Structures are given as C-alpha cells and as structure tokens.
Amino acid sequence: MESGRNAVRPHPRLGWLAAILPAGARRFRARDSEFAAAISAAGGELVESSPDAEIAEATELVGDASIAIVPVGVQPPRGVRHRSLRAARRLVDAAVVNRQIAAVQRTVRRRGYVHATPIAWEAQTKLLPTFDDASARTPLFQRFPRCAVVVCRRGPHEPTALEAALADASRALDRQLGMPTFSLSSSGALIASVDDVVLRVSLGPAARRLEDQRVALELLREAQPSELVAQRVPWVLAVGSSGLARWSVEQRLPGRLSGEPADELRDCLDFLAQLFAAQSGDARAGSPARDAEICAHYFPQHAELLRSLGVRLEASLAGLPRGFAHGDFWIGNLLVEDGRLVGVVDWPSAGPGRFPLLDLFQLRAQQVRERTGARLASVVTEHLLPQAATGGHDLDRAYCRRLGLDLDARDLENLLGAYWLEELRHALIDPDRDPVEPTRSEWRRANIETLTALARRCGLPELAESER
C-alpha cells in the first residue's frame, strides 16, 4: 500500500467488507484502488489470477472466483438541509441505484454467478450476521439505497469474516453471543450489542482503531482512575482476528446517546476533570510540534508556517500540567440516563500526556457544528477563539476551577491552537475519518484561515495573499 500524502486512503465504510468476504478468503483481484488499499491493509494478497474473491465493476469481472463484489451507487448531495428536499432527492437516487443493481444482476449471471444479492451500505445500515436483509428491522433509508454492493456467488453461502468473528468472540467469552443485527458505524466498524456486551468487527485500515482503543483503555486501567470515571468506561473484555477482520468485545454501558447535553454538563465537567487527573506511567504525550509536522506534508505551501506554529505552541504550553484525555468527547459518544452522564464510548483516540481543556473544546465545538453545520476550522476561528480572547467560556472556567488551573486568555488561545492541530491531524490521517473531506477546496480554505488566525495570535508572519 502506498505511503505518504499521495497514498490511497480507503473510506472507513469499507469496513463492511467483513460482513461479505468469506472468512477463508486470502487472495483478491481488486480493480478499484480504494478497495485494493483496504484489502492490502487487512493482510489480503492482491493477485491477478486464481483469486478467492474479485471486486470490480460488473463489466470488468472475470468470473473465476467463488465470490464477486460489485459496488454501485450515486454521490450523495451536499448542503441539502431541508428534510423534504432530502427525501425527494433520496427517492430519485434510489431509483437510479435500483436500475444499476438490475443491470449488474443481468451481467454477473453471464459470468457464471448464480446468486446476486444487493445490500445497501451507508452509516447505520443494519444487517443480520449472514449479511441477509434484516427486513422489518431495517431503517427506512436502507430501503431506498444510495450506496450498495451486489454480492455474487457461484454456490451456497460461505461463512463470512463477520460470522467467524461472532463465533470466535463467543468462544473467548465462553458463552453464545446471539447478536440479532449489526449496524455499520461511521467509523467503519460493524457493531452489535446484546445483554451486557458490545461486539465490534472491522476490516481494513479502520480496524486498527479497535487495537488503539484496547491500548488506550489498558493505559487508563493502569492509571487507576476514580470510580466516577471507571464506571463510565466500556472496558475491553476480549480481542481477536477472524479471517481478515479484527474484532473486540467490550462492556455494554447503560443509557442512550445524548442529544444536547444540558442537564449532563456538570457531569461532563466532573468526568473530564477526574479523567485528566488519572496519571499514567506511559511516556507518550501530545505534541503540537509533532502534529504540525504531520499536517505540513498535506499543506506544502504552508508547511513552514505550520511547523513554526507547532513549535511556538509547544514552547508556550510547556509549563501546563498533562493528564489523560478521551480524544473525541462529543455528544455522539456520550450515554445519558435520567439527565445524568452514565457512559462514554469510543476511546481509540484516548491517552495520557494530553493538555487540559482539549476534550471540552471538542464537546463545545461539536455542539456548534451540530447546530450550524459549520466546519470545525470555522468553529475554532469564529466561535472558540473570540471566546478565548475574552477569558474563555463559562464551561472552560468551571473546568479549570475543578483542576485548580489559572489560565489567561493567551493560555486559552494557545490551547485552542493545540486542539486545532490535533484535530487537523486526525482528519488527515486517521483511518476512521472521511478521506474525501480533506480534498475539498472549501475545507482546505477554512483550515488555512484558521492557521492564519492562530499565527497572528502567536506573533508569526502571516501568509502572503498568494499562499492563501
């Protein structure tokens, strides 16, 4: 697989391959570079002859594999916020996709594939472990697909990597996990829960995040967090590999996903303060200079300014205490019950040695994004930085009081710079983030504007107009 900023970065949604590929498949013919990158990252062998599975457009299939996967779909519209317009557009798109599916089914039968099953694939798609349609239990959007694959087989169904993961996880826990349906998360993991456990299964680069979460939570356990934190963490019970897929089983927490955490904000502050206080002996630490160095490869025209900003921020923040952080603390990862915070999920970005306030910045920034649809860079420039310049938001001050920190406006601005660089790095390289967004000119422009604003506050030379 190619490395560096020109490498093909598969979309995390390709994690659904775990629900389709036979557990025993190791050799693949993949005409599409994104699929090829995902398969290669999972440990599969890319071949031209005698494949176990082939992935290509219907007209490119050779027909010499036991299973073939044909992607179909349309590009979803951007910027359509009105519900009725979105619904009308989906109906039109679904009609196009259904015609594509019918054409694929006709073509693959001529290649010798006697079964051709269409499966819709978008975030929150639901399916049975055997990848059959979950019928009445599927969400309405799934019956009007925009993105789908046609799974083509020559013979009877072969156990998939997802089925193997379910069986292996059951053996690891010494109990039968009767998972009714799996959902495809936006991070590329297939997720199912039953009773007191949650099973996550993924394939490709995004599967690495399952291991990242296991390592992060092991470090947190070693740090001996307070009971308030420990009771709200989905501790990992077992991990393993099945076929090309990775899986993990974690404790299932009570509660439901938070909407707008109004009543729970005090609980969030208490949780974050006590999480930060958990001290790990691990030597790793967050580094704005390191984040900036990584980001500089993706912004070659602005590389020197990014590096200068990272070095300046690291020096300015050197005297602040470090602690444990979640790394992606927002309402989509918070579980609530009766107005109280009862759980925090998704820990692959967590770790020790982090600056204070970054988790709270994430919570506040994502609240604005949920409300306005703005990009993170714009939220930093237009909302968070102006607040920092006047001494910070009320929540920032309440958090600092819990930790006994006395931070001035310059400290808050520097911490926001460190937060933005960390989030920029996540967007550019994390395998569970959308790889398309950083290629959009609007996204890049918004982040260059944020770089300019932060550089100005740090006293660095501004970008020339031709560089913006």
Side-chain angles (χ1 to χ4, degrees):
M1 186 169 151
E2 216 179 343
S3 61
R5 67 187 178 93
N6 295 319
V8 175
R9 185 176 160 207
H11 198 287
R13 66 170 174 256
L14 294 190
W16 51 250
L17 284 167
I20 293 176
L21 295 178
R26 294 294 184 275
R27 295 166 55 84
F28 301 85
R29 181 192 297 119
R31 300 299 187 195
D32 182 276
S33 59
E34 189 178 11
F35 280 91
I39 292 293
S40 179
E45 181 184 0
L46 299 176
V47 299
E48 284 299 322
S49 62
S50 304
D52 300 321
E54 57 176 339
I55 305 172
E57 300 293 328
T59 55
E60 297 178 325
L61 295 177
V62 177
D64 56 346
S66 61
I67 186 171
I69 299 168
V70 181
V72 296
V74 297
Q75 187 68 32
R78 291 181 55 82
V80 180
R81 299 183 66 85
H82 196 281
R83 182 176 296 180
S84 61
L85 291 177
R86 292 202 307 269
R89 179 60 187 266
R90 178 171 282 278
L91 290 174
V92 173
D93 290 346
V96 173
V97 171
N98 284 326
R99 287 197 295 271
Q100 293 176 346
I101 290 171
V104 168
Q105 289 173 324
R106 291 192 297 269
T107 301
V108 299
R109 289 191 176 103
R110 292 196 293 269
R111 298 289 193 277
Y113 292 105
V114 296
H115 304 282
T117 307
I119 305 172
W121 289 109
E122 294 179 59
Q124 304 312 314
T125 289
K126 294 187 181 297
L127 73 159
L128 300 173
T130 56
F131 79 66
D132 295 323
D133 187 349
S135 64
R137 285 172 286 182
T138 60
L140 183 61
F141 77 82
Q142 197 169 328
R143 303 172 202 175
F144 300 93
R146 274 202 181 103
C147 301
V149 290
V150 182
V151 182
C152 315
R153 303 193 312 272
R154 291 183 171 282
H157 171 77
E158 300 178 53
T160 65
L162 176 61
E163 292 175 87
L166 181 55
D168 290 344
S170 296
R171 282 190 289 272
L173 297 186
D174 196 23
R175 54 184 280 200
Q176 185 61 41
L177 298 178
M179 302 294 188
T181 61
F182 282 79
S183 295
L184 177 66
S185 72
S186 57
S187 63
L190 292 157
I191 302 176
S193 60
V194 61
D195 300 328
D196 57 341
V197 298
V198 175
L199 174 64
R200 297 175 186 267
V201 183
S202 190
L203 188 151
R208 190 189 80 203
R209 301 295 273 168
L210 299 181
E211 176 65 10
D212 291 343
Q213 171 165 286
R214 183 193 66 79
V215 171
L217 291 182
E218 279 191 2
L219 291 173
L220 180 58
R221 191 188 293 276
E222 292 169 4
Q224 299 181 332
S226 69
E227 197 67 17
L228 183 148
V229 172
Q231 290 179 345
R232 291 164 175 79
V233 173
W235 300 107
V236 176
L237 304 174
V239 297
S241 299
S242 302
L244 297 184
R246 293 279 302 169
W247 58 265
S248 72
V249 180
E250 64 194 48
Q251 291 179 356
R252 183 181 182 184
L253 299 172
R256 56 177 175 76
L257 288 178
S258 173
E260 184 75 13
D263 296 336
E264 305 89 30
L265 280 175
R266 178 184 175 87
D267 287 349
C268 289
L269 291 176
D270 290 339
F271 179 89
L272 290 177
Q274 294 195 33
L275 174 65
F276 186 81
Q279 294 299 315
S280 169
D282 190 86
R284 73 190 73 186
S287 168
R290 187 168 61 243
D291 291 340
E293 183 63 40
I294 292 171
C295 297
H297 291 289
Y298 297 84
F299 289 85
Q301 284 186 294
H302 318 303
E304 287 309 309
L305 188 58
L306 274 164
R307 293 187 179 103
S308 297
L309 176 64
V311 170
R312 182 71 59 89
L313 291 173
E314 189 140 337
S316 300
L317 296 170
L320 291 184
R322 303 291 190 106
F324 217 99
H326 178 271
D328 194 16
F329 195 86
W330 70 292
I331 59 174
N333 288 333
L334 308 183
L335 301 175
V336 301
E337 190 172 74
D338 297 328
R340 303 301 303 270
L341 178 70
V342 295
V344 180
V345 300
D346 288 348
W347 290 75
S349 297
R354 306 294 176 80
F355 292 113
L357 276 170
L358 302 198
D359 278 338
L360 187 55
F361 289 157
Q362 175 75 340
L363 177 65
R364 295 204 290 112
Q366 295 297 342
Q367 283 180 285
V368 176
R369 295 191 69 193
E370 290 287 308
R371 189 170 62 249
T372 65
R375 288 184 167 84
L376 176 64
S378 299
V379 172
V380 170
T381 306
E382 298 168 14
H383 294 267
L384 302 189
L385 274 175
Q387 291 170 351
T390 59
H393 190 278
D394 290 344
L395 292 174
D396 299 340
R397 292 192 288 269
Y399 171 88
C400 288
R401 285 195 297 271
R402 282 164 168 78
L403 292 177
L405 294 176
D406 183 17
L407 303 180
D408 59 21
R410 179 57 60 86
D411 292 327
L412 294 173
E413 290 176 345
N414 289 335
L415 284 167
L416 273 171
Y419 163 71
W420 171 72
L421 279 173
E422 187 174 281
E423 286 302 306
L424 184 63
R425 170 175 60 82
H426 285 318
L428 289 168
I429 69 171
D430 279 6
D432 56 356
R433 299 291 184 96
D434 182 356
V436 177
E437 184 69 5
T439 68
R440 303 186 193 281
S441 58
E442 319 91 83
W443 183 91
R444 297 182 67 83
R445 191 179 307 115
N447 279 286
I448 292 168
E449 289 172 0
T450 302
L451 171 61
T452 303
L454 289 166
R456 185 183 304 121
R457 281 168 166 77
C458 287
L460 296 171
E462 294 188 27
L463 294 171
E465 188 65 33
S466 60
E467 294 178 317
R468 296 184 184 180

